[in-house]
Amino acid sequence: MRRHSHAFYDDMVGYEPTAQIYRKNSAAAAHRVHQLIEDGVQVGVFRALNGHFAAQVVAVTIDAVQSGVLLESTGLTAGDAFAELGDLLLDGLSPGQGSPEPPSTPVRQPGDEVSAPR
């Protein structure tokens, strides 16, 4: 998704046939995340948590990226938003306390104005 321009992404989600495919793939991705989390919990790679909830967080985030709401409020591209979501999930699932790394994109504070179009 990082390779696509804003115009390409807008066209993709604005054209109903491709938007339907995007939604179908989003649902499949959320289901796969749920499976991966459950498997990871069973083998002890991830700490015990509600995998269904985490999968729903992924689904809601994907919907917010597709609608543009999350992109407009953060200034991220779709690819960057999904990378951040992956980092958030993996860091939240890890059993140990790793050393914090600086964010890959600027951190926005509540009330910051976003001038970048989605």
Side-chain angles (χ1 to χ4, degrees), residues 76-89:
L76 295 173
T77 65
D80 289 336
F82 291 131
E84 291 290 331
L85 176 61
D87 289 346
L88 180 64
L89 279 175

Side-chain angles (χ1 to χ4, degrees), residues 33-104:
V33 166
H34 185 202
Q35 289 176 322
L36 290 169
I37 291 170
E38 293 297 319
D39 292 347
V41 169
Q42 286 183 3
V43 298
V45 175
F46 298 144
R47 63 184 176 85
L49 54 73
N50 185 320
H52 183 70
F53 176 80
Q56 290 304 304
V57 167
V58 170
V60 167
T61 302
I62 290 171
D63 288 345
V65 168
Q66 182 183 11
S67 73
V69 171
L70 189 60
L71 304 180
E72 290 170 7
S73 66
T74 63
L76 295 173
T77 65
D80 289 336
F82 291 131
E84 291 290 331
L85 176 61
D87 289 346
L88 180 64
L89 279 175
L90 290 176
D91 287 343
L93 294 171
S94 63
Q97 298 283 339
S99 61
E101 294 183 23
S104 60

Side-chain angles (χ1 to χ4, degrees), residues 18-30:
T18 56
Q20 287 176 2
I21 293 168
Y22 187 96
R23 286 190 297 271
K24 183 177 180 179
N25 287 336
S26 297

